[in-house]
Amino acid sequence: MIPELGHLALILALRVAVAQGIVPLGGAARRDATLMAFARPAAITQFALVALAFGCLAASFLRSDFSVANVAQNSFSALPAHYKFAAAWGSHEGSLLLWALMLGGWSCAVALRSRNLPAPMLARVLAVMGLVAVGFLAFLLFTSNPFERLVPPAPEGRDLNPLLQDPGMVMHPPLLYMGYVGFAVAFAFAIAGLLEGRIDAAWARWARPWTTVAW
C-alpha cells in the first residue's frame, strides 16, 4: 500500500506541476491577479506531494519491502537503518526522486520567501520552476518509476553497493543536489526576466540571494 501511495503522490505532483507551469504564465500575460496567485499554492502543493512520495520510498527501504524492485536491488534486511535510508537515493530512480524533491523544495522556498516580488515576476519564476519539474516528474513516472513492484517479491535484497556504504553517502548527495538544483531558481529568474523584458538592477537584486545560497 505504501508504494502505491507514493506512486499516486507522484502522479498528482505531475498534474500540479503542469498546472503550475501553465496557469500562472497565462495570468502574467493577461495581468490576471487570480491566475497569477495560483502559482504560490501550486508550488507548495507540488513540494508536499513529492515529499510524500519520497517518504513512501524511504519507508519502503526502512521496512525492507522487497516487493518493490528498487528496494530489492539496492538494500538488504541486515543493512543498518541509516544506510537503508540513504539507499533511497542510492539508485538511478531514487536519485531522480531526490532531485525532484530538492526542486520542489526550492520552488516552495521561492513561493514562501519572495512576497516582495512583483506578482507577474513571481508568477513567471514559479511557472518556469513548474515546467522544469514536469520534465523530471514525467521522466520518473514513465521511464524510472521508483515504486515498480516485483512479482513475486524477492526473498532478500541484493544489498547496497559496498562503495556507497559510507557515512558520507548519508549527507553528500542531499547537500550536493541542494546546490545543483538551486541553480534552477537562477535559471527561472533568467527566463522570467526575458519573458517580461526586464533584465535590470532590480532583477539582479531579486535573483542574487537565491543564486548565492545555491552556490
Side-chain angles (χ1 to χ4, degrees), residues 189-205:
F189 268 96
I191 298 300
L194 290 171
L195 288 172
E196 195 161 321
R198 182 175 184 175
I199 302 292
D200 54 14
W203 172 88
R205 188 171 63 252

Side-chain angles (χ1 to χ4, degrees), residues 135-152:
F136 282 99
L137 292 170
F139 188 74
L140 264 170
L141 285 168
F142 295 120
T143 72
S144 304
N145 181 9
F147 299 104
E148 183 181 352
R149 286 286 195 177
L150 194 60
V151 181

Side-chain angles (χ1 to χ4, degrees), residues 107-189:
S107 295
C108 183
V110 172
L112 294 174
R113 303 291 295 178
S114 296
R115 297 183 182 276
N116 60 327
L117 279 182
M121 176 63 74
L122 179 60
R124 288 190 170 104
V125 168
L126 291 178
V128 173
M129 295 287 287
L131 291 174
V132 174
V134 167
F136 282 99
L137 292 170
F139 188 74
L140 264 170
L141 285 168
F142 295 120
T143 72
S144 304
N145 181 9
F147 299 104
E148 183 181 352
R149 286 286 195 177
L150 194 60
V151 181
E156 185 53 86
R158 295 173 56 187
D159 202 1
L160 180 65
N161 185 334
L163 294 175
L164 302 180
Q165 294 183 33
D166 183 274
M169 176 63 181
V170 180
M171 293 300 298
H172 178 259
L175 289 174
L176 186 69
Y177 279 26
M178 197 178 298
Y180 276 152
V181 181
F183 283 104
V185 182
F187 170 76
F189 268 96

Side-chain angles (χ1 to χ4, degrees), residues 1-8 56 60 63 65 67 149:
M1 183 64 185
I2 290 178
E4 281 71 29
L5 177 61
H7 191 205
L8 175 62
C56 289
S60 298
R63 290 159 51 95
D65 185 354
S67 69
R149 286 286 195 177

